[in-house]
Amino acid sequence: VAVLNSKYLPYYLGLLLNFGNMMNYGDARRGNAGAVNLSLLDKLELTKDNKGKSSLFTYLVTTVKVRRPEALHLIDEMKPVLTANVMQISWGDMEMAMQEAEKAVQVFQNHCTLVKKKLVELGTDAEDPFVPFAVEFTMRVTGELQELRQHYGRLDNTRIKFLQYFGIIDAKKKPEDIFSQLVPFIERVRRSMQEMVKKERRNMKKGQKLGDGEFAHVVQKLQEQVAL
């Protein structure tokens, strides 16, 4: 949800899309892309300028700093992503757990039906405590399973929106595959922000008052949010 509601992530991706289209100008296919391939995020630092010094990632952060410095607060928006260990969550495991829960309830209901049938044959169903217990338990578990299905359905809808957000048409794509590419990128942005704050502090030690530099309007927030 943090990704879908982000104000600033689309700006970063939009810049990267523009960079890519400009770099591939003249190529009918690659120079007219409509979305960013997330697999490129971990290659930004490998793409250098013609002097081999500055990377495309550095150019991206510098462009954000100059054109829209408030977008440096991307790290604030992405805190839930960075702190929730999202890459350890497996959508496949969730699907399997849902299937196993449904199977377990069905097996229990089948056993209850067989036991009740046997009790009826013996004529002891009216007085056996198992029958009302089984009915009450089955109703409760069935209700909980229905609630679980609803939660799972909402999660699956969010997953589909998540894929669409990144222009991914493969409906079987798993969220953890995307997070494995997105989270390291956000971490690099965070480290870059840390360096910005450190630079401001070095400037202060040199006699430049903290906050008088080019990051004056974001330094205070960065200091509050970024763990140095």
Side-chain angles (χ1 to χ4, degrees):
V1 177
V3 173
L4 296 178
N5 293 336
S6 173
K7 291 170 52 180
Y8 302 124
L9 183 58
Y11 182 66
Y12 283 78
L13 297 178
L15 285 177
L16 288 174
L17 180 62
N18 289 335
F19 294 165
N21 284 337
M22 285 189 293
M23 292 168 64
N24 293 297
Y25 179 77
D27 187 313
R29 181 177 62 86
R30 299 177 62 190
N32 192 33
V36 175
N37 188 330
L38 295 183
S39 64
L40 299 176
L41 293 180
D42 63 353
K43 301 176 182 177
L44 297 178
E45 291 175 328
L46 300 177
T47 305
K48 305 288 186 177
D49 60 14
N50 53 12
K51 295 182 179 180
K53 294 183 178 180
S54 181
S55 70
L56 184 57
F57 177 79
T58 300
Y59 183 68
L60 170 67
V61 175
T62 301
T63 301
V64 172
K65 174 187 68 176
V66 173
R67 294 185 182 180
R68 194 178 178 186
E70 67 272 18
L72 294 172
H73 295 313
L74 172 71
I75 191 67
D76 298 337
E77 295 182 323
M78 295 295 108
K79 268 192 172 182
V81 175
L82 296 176
T83 59
N85 293 323
V86 291
M87 289 191 292
Q88 297 180 15
I89 300 174
S90 169
W91 183 257
D93 289 345
M94 292 180 61
E95 289 180 315
M96 185 177 297
M98 186 68 210
Q99 293 169 2
E100 289 177 350
E102 292 177 332
K103 182 179 179 180
V105 171
Q106 186 61 54
V107 169
F108 178 79
Q109 289 177 331
N110 292 341
H111 284 319
C112 287
T113 300
L114 291 174
V115 171
K116 184 177 180 180
K117 181 179 179 181
K118 189 65 175 179
L119 292 174
V120 170
E121 292 175 353
L122 295 173
T124 59
D125 57 301
E127 57 189 39
D128 196 298
F130 175 79
V131 175
F133 167 78
V135 172
E136 187 276 332
F137 183 79
T138 300
M139 290 179 61
R140 176 161 54 86
V141 171
T142 301
E144 291 176 354
L145 181 60
Q146 180 61 31
E147 185 177 349
L148 185 61
R149 287 196 187 103
Q150 292 174 354
H151 284 304
Y152 178 82
R154 286 193 289 269
L155 283 174
D156 196 38
N157 288 335
T158 301
R159 181 184 67 87
I160 297 300
K161 291 179 181 178
F162 188 69
L163 298 180
Q164 293 173 342
Y165 180 92
F166 291 105
I168 298 173
I169 60 176
D170 182 4
K172 295 182 179 180
K173 191 79 170 179
K174 299 176 181 179
E176 58 263 33
D177 296 333
I178 299 175
F179 281 123
S180 67
Q181 298 166 331
L182 182 62
V183 171
F185 169 75
I186 297 172
E187 284 285 3
R188 288 196 294 274
V189 173
R190 182 181 66 84
R191 290 195 296 269
S192 181
M193 291 171 60
Q194 290 177 324
E195 289 302 318
M196 292 177 189
V197 174
K198 290 178 181 179
K199 180 180 178 181
E200 287 288 339
R201 287 185 171 179
R202 287 195 295 268
N203 288 339
M204 181 182 64
K205 291 180 180 179
K206 293 178 181 178
Q208 181 179 4
K209 185 177 179 181
L210 184 64
D212 287 345
E214 54 189 334
F215 292 107
H217 49 306
V218 297
V219 168
Q220 183 177 358
K221 184 65 176 178
L222 290 176
Q223 288 179 313
E224 295 173 355
Q225 298 295 335
V226 179
L228 296 177

